[in-house]
Amino acid sequence: MGKSIVVTGKGGSGKTVLSALIVKALMERVSGTILAVDADPNCNLDRALGVAVEQTVGSIREDMIDEITSLPGGMTKAEYLAYRTRECLVETDRFDLIAMGRPEGPGCYCYANSILRQVVDKLAKEYDYVVIDCEAGLEHLSRRTAGRPDYLVVVVDPSVRSAETARRVVELTGSLGTPVGQTLIVANRCRDGLSPAVRKVLQEGNLQVAAEVPEDENVRALDDAGESLLKVPQDSPAYRAVRQILQQAGIAEAG
Ligand SMILES: Nc1ncnc2c1ncn2[C@@H]1O[C@H](COP(=O)(O)OP(=O)(O)OP(=O)(O)O)[C@@H](O)[C@H]1O
Ligand SMILES: [Mg+2]
């Protein structure tokens, strides 16, 4: 069973950027296999990683309702879902990507949801590293769709609201008894550190900032142009900071 790194935080705080840079750092610093999971219904981790997702796990659920009466080759529903889920994998030399898509349609998908959840969990176990880009908010954590993170990266941008979201995320993981290996509060888009107001909110929640990722012109330019963030230069400040975070957390070697 590999290490899971779950990236969460307020909308627009930089979850997708940091997820992509974490995948890049893992690609370069570790030798194990890597699975990136886009758990945001508005999938955009694929673009950030320079690949295109054609089918999401969510779309299988929709299809299944129509196809369920005529499963191919006498397959059980569970076998069929596992087979279809694997078709959603985008494979590259160094990492694979799977996108969860929309969690639910208007009908009742409880059965399919729970099977799909198990299939994705099982798939994730086949990799050494799993990086999950969550949707904004607490949905994945409260429904435990993000599983049990070894590393919970809580992204805070320089706004008070983002710090408040971080507090709620940490409180929620505590109250759910969701066992988290290490929680890493990462301040993103920092120019001159965090403001006193933001620091106060974090302190009140007993949250220590583990690392600061600076505002990075290269990241912004690539992202604005819809280009892969894997193209960020080695010495780009945000990427250096992400490598440092992985090193500090004991996930990857320095460099
Ligand atoms: N360190 C950084 N330097 C420069 N720009 C950044 C940085 N981090 C994030 N951005 C920019 O901020 C915007 C939001 O980032 P991103 O899409 O990663 O946020 P998100 O938390 O995934 O948003 P959402 O909640 O919508 O999924 C993007 O335009 C991105 O390019
Ligand atoms: Mg995002």
Side-chain angles (χ1 to χ4, degrees):
M1 172 68 186
K3 291 179 176 172
S4 63
I5 304 165
V6 175
V7 183
T8 180
K10 192 180 85 63
S13 55
K15 298 177 293 296
T16 301
V17 163
L18 292 189
S19 299
L21 295 181
I22 289 170
V23 169
K24 177 177 166 69
L26 291 172
M27 286 165 63
E28 293 169 5
R29 310 278 151 191
V30 302
S31 57
T33 51
I34 304 161
L35 175 67
V37 179
D38 191 344
D40 187 339
N42 294 311
C43 307
N44 53 16
L45 184 60
D46 57 344
R47 188 186 282 277
L49 292 173
V51 294
V53 160
E54 278 167 17
Q55 218 193 348
T56 68
V57 174
S59 70
I60 305 173
R61 217 166 0 219
E62 307 286 335
D63 296 354
M64 195 197 81
I65 306 303
D66 302 328
E67 294 178 36
I68 208 73
T69 48
S70 55
L71 292 178
M75 279 180 166
T76 64
K77 276 188 200 177
E79 283 165 350
Y80 176 70
L81 285 168
Y83 160 77
R84 291 292 306 274
T85 304
R86 279 176 191 274
E87 284 190 341
C88 297
L89 262 187
V90 178
E91 293 172 306
T92 77
D93 286 351
R94 203 51 197 91
F95 68 89
D96 294 349
L97 169 69
I98 195 159
M100 300 304 290
R102 301 245 152 241
E104 267 160 44
C108 176
Y109 298 100
C110 298
Y111 174 76
N113 271 334
S114 92
I115 299 266
L116 286 167
R117 176 70 218 293
Q118 287 168 32
V119 171
V120 174
D121 276 359
K122 200 163 159 233
L123 181 75
K125 287 197 177 94
E126 294 171 16
Y127 292 81
D128 297 310
Y129 299 90
V130 181
V131 179
I132 305 177
D133 178 12
C134 289
E135 73 177 305
L138 312 177
E139 187 78 350
H140 284 291
L141 294 168
S142 59
R143 291 159 49 125
R144 301 191 190 202
T145 41
R148 297 193 167 90
D150 293 308
Y151 300 92
L152 182 69
V153 174
V154 187
V155 187
V156 181
D157 66 21
S159 73
V160 164
R161 277 181 49 212
S162 155
E164 285 167 352
T165 302
R167 269 180 60 175
R168 282 199 293 275
V169 165
V170 173
E171 279 161 20
L172 183 67
T173 51
S175 69
L176 285 175
T178 311
V180 173
Q182 256 188 66
T183 299
L184 302 163
I185 310 290
V186 174
N188 186 32
R189 310 196 75 165
C190 288
R191 288 203 170 89
D192 304 306
L194 294 170
S195 70
V198 171
R199 289 204 174 275
K200 184 164 174 271
V201 174
L202 294 176
Q203 267 162 18
E204 283 166 2
N206 247 330
L207 305 186
Q208 313 275 344
V209 174
E212 290 188 5
V213 174
E215 174 76 20
D216 188 323
E217 185 51 34
N218 295 319
V219 166
R220 205 189 50 74
L222 285 168
D223 213 21
D224 284 358
E227 300 260 351
S228 167
L229 296 179
L230 301 182
K231 293 182 185 167
V232 166
Q234 290 293 321
D235 59 356
S236 214
Y239 184 48
R240 289 166 81 113
V242 167
R243 292 202 304 268
Q244 185 92 31
I245 294 168
L246 296 195
Q247 186 206 345
Q248 267 173 24
I251 306 171
E253 293 296 311

